[in-house]
Amino acid sequence: MIKEHPQYGSRIPPEELESLQNQQRQPHPRGGRPQAPVHRGPRPSQERPPGRHDRARRPNRPGAPRPGEGPPRPAPVQEESPVARLGKVLHAYHESAALFAAHALGVFPTIHQTPQVAEDVARRCNADPRGMERLLNALVALGLLHKHGATYVVPRELAPYVVPGVDGDATGMLDLSSELYREWGDLARAVKEGVPLHRLSSDALLGGDPNRVRRYIRAVHTNSRQAARRVVEMAPLLPGTTLLDVAGGSGIFAAEYARATPDLKATLLDLAPTIEAAQEILTAEGLEDRVTYRTGDYRSDPFPGPVDALLLSNVFQTESEEVGHTILAKAREAIRPGGTLLVHGVMTDPDATKPSETVMFSLLMFALFDKGRAYPAETLSDWIAQAGFGVRFIRPLGHPFRSKLILATRLE
């Protein structure tokens, strides 16, 4: 009587059990282990009597469990409930609030000077010790600080972005975002009346506070540095190329092209307050000799040319369709036949509802500019073709960037 099987244990399939029993009944010819019968198939001259053996035999597959006897299947991943999804959106501002509070209190430069415990940070920042401890712990949970015992430390890789005066200083981005944070609470009024919350159009910059212009340009510079390097990798230019960077802000795209391309001559065209801020930023980073500055308004002034390549980075998302066509017409006049047009910016999918990050960016453009929005890449490509260019490719910059690059050639 066979009770155990080395593979199936006590649950031996019937056909396997029958095979083992036949081996026990037939001794080996030389007195050794039983030999399994050789299967030669049914003889054509004989018919088996009808019975239970007429049922189709299951194949003898080692390791194939019978129905219901295999290992339990992993439970399917449950979808996020509507309440959880709503709560995630509802409370998303908590993380931003913690970051802006730390920036306003001077937490990051204080800890960057020397790692400290919560009480010391509170004293140096003139804050309540209990509240400061809660805030510091929240920053640790967000990955914006490290904690070793009771001591808080600014992560080495994050320090260049949150500490003023450090190479890569992104505090301009924090300043601008904290200003917008207070105004986003009035988004309903902006949508109802169709007016920006925090106008950053050319007219607003020309007639506004120069310090506000510097904060804005510094914020754009911080966001654009790594993206500029990726664009240069994706669309390199030939040595000796003349490049015009239209409305290039801090000039970081032109500077990165000049850094990577021998004998490239780069010119930045922008408003006077922006040019002043760009010179200050690029000088601080040792890039002032990489770019030539030209004051002008891309909406009303012609583009200097002829040039071999022209860059429009983050321009269309701030303007109306009418202005967009005007910009492309001027670009065609400035570029030599066969020259290159580079269009970079945040672009949505054709239905303008995804990806979510670009759609939220489109809402931000509405809150900042009179006609701002993120256009679909296909829409911009059609405009470019109508202006007399041949579109060569549309490519996303890839993680962690949310923008795309359109490369086109001016036709004859």
Side-chain angles (χ1 to χ4, degrees):
M1 193 70 181
I2 300 173
K3 297 181 179 181
E4 293 290 337
H5 188 277
Q7 182 174 355
Y8 298 101
S10 59
R11 298 180 176 180
I12 307 174
E15 60 270 21
E16 182 71 12
L17 180 62
E18 181 179 352
S19 175
L20 293 175
Q21 291 173 343
N22 288 337
Q23 292 179 32
Q24 286 186 343
R25 285 195 293 267
Q26 297 181 10
H28 191 273
R30 297 182 180 178
R33 293 181 303 173
Q35 184 178 18
V38 179
H39 178 70
R40 296 187 176 87
R43 296 179 182 179
S45 59
Q46 294 181 352
E47 293 185 2
R48 291 182 301 175
R52 64 182 181 89
H53 295 289
D54 288 339
R55 292 180 299 178
R57 289 177 175 263
R58 293 176 55 207
N60 181 16
R61 295 177 299 162
R66 300 179 65 180
E69 295 181 359
R73 296 180 179 179
V77 178
Q78 295 183 354
E79 295 184 1
E80 188 178 38
S81 69
V83 174
R85 186 163 62 250
L86 178 63
K88 183 182 297 184
V89 176
L90 187 62
H91 302 134
Y93 72 94
H94 293 181
E95 298 181 0
S96 299
L99 174 58
F100 295 146
H103 177 58
L105 292 169
V107 168
F108 296 113
T110 298
I111 298 179
H112 181 64
Q113 293 174 1
T114 177
Q116 300 168 56
V117 298
E119 291 183 359
D120 291 339
V121 178
R123 185 177 64 257
R124 292 174 181 270
C125 295
N126 194 24
D128 175 69
R130 188 172 61 92
M132 180 58 72
E133 182 185 15
R134 302 296 188 277
L135 176 60
L136 295 178
N137 287 338
L139 296 173
V140 172
L142 294 175
L144 301 177
L145 288 180
H146 290 166
K147 187 177 183 181
H148 303 289
T151 304
Y152 297 90
V153 181
V154 177
R156 181 178 303 176
E157 68 277 7
L158 190 64
Y161 303 103
V162 296
V163 178
V166 177
D167 183 27
D169 179 1
T171 53
M173 180 173 60
L174 295 177
D175 290 335
L176 176 63
S177 297
S178 60
E179 291 178 9
L180 295 176
Y181 175 77
R182 293 190 293 269
E183 299 184 11
W184 269 90
D186 206 18
L187 181 61
R189 177 192 61 81
V191 172
K192 184 175 182 179
E193 300 177 6
V195 295
L197 294 170
H198 191 89
R199 186 174 276 107
L200 286 175
S201 62
S202 299
D203 294 336
L205 292 176
L206 285 172
D209 180 6
N211 290 326
R212 184 186 181 202
V213 176
R214 289 189 180 90
R215 289 196 301 270
Y216 173 61
I217 298 303
R218 282 178 58 219
V220 173
H221 177 75
T222 300
N223 283 334
S224 300
R225 183 187 292 108
Q226 297 301 325
R229 293 172 182 171
R230 181 68 61 86
V231 168
V232 172
E233 293 175 359
M234 294 173 62
L237 298 176
L238 294 174
T241 296
T242 52
L243 169 67
L244 177 63
D245 186 359
V246 176
S250 71
I252 187 61
F253 280 85
E256 290 296 337
Y257 261 113
R259 191 205 301 268
T261 310
D263 301 323
L264 181 137
K265 298 177 179 61
T267 301
L268 171 65
L269 174 69
D270 216 316
L271 302 171
T274 303
I275 292 293
E276 183 179 348
Q279 289 178 313
E280 179 182 314
I281 292 172
L282 294 183
T283 299
E285 297 195 6
L287 298 172
E288 69 278 5
D289 60 344
R290 302 279 186 173
V291 179
T292 300
Y293 305 96
R294 181 81 174 263
T295 300
D297 188 336
Y298 63 79
R299 295 179 303 172
S300 55
D301 297 329
F303 296 167
V307 295
D308 300 315
L310 189 145
L311 172 65
L312 297 167
S313 179
N314 300 315
V315 174
F316 292 107
Q317 60 209 30
T318 68
E319 299 293 348
S320 65
E321 180 176 350
E322 179 182 1
V323 174
H325 286 294
T326 301
I327 292 172
L328 287 171
K330 293 182 180 182
R332 189 178 191 281
E333 293 177 1
I335 300 175
R336 292 188 178 92
T340 299
L341 174 67
L342 301 157
V343 176
H344 166 256
V346 178
M347 308 172 197
T348 66
D349 283 358
D351 64 355
T353 61
K354 55 184 180 294
S356 61
E357 290 183 349
T358 61
V359 177
M360 292 304 297
F361 179 84
S362 186
L363 183 59
L364 173 64
M365 293 297 98
F366 167 80
L368 296 181
F369 300 94
D370 295 299
K371 300 294 183 180
R373 62 163 295 183
Y375 292 96
E378 292 75 13
T379 298
L380 295 180
S381 178
D382 290 341
W383 296 359
I384 293 169
Q386 293 170 21
F389 293 89
V391 176
R392 293 163 59 184
F393 68 66
I394 303 173
R395 293 176 185 168
L397 266 64
H399 182 78
F401 310 103
R402 55 187 176 182
S403 53
K404 295 180 180 179
L405 177 66
I406 301 178
L407 180 66
T409 302
R410 186 202 149 168
L411 305 177
E412 296 292 340

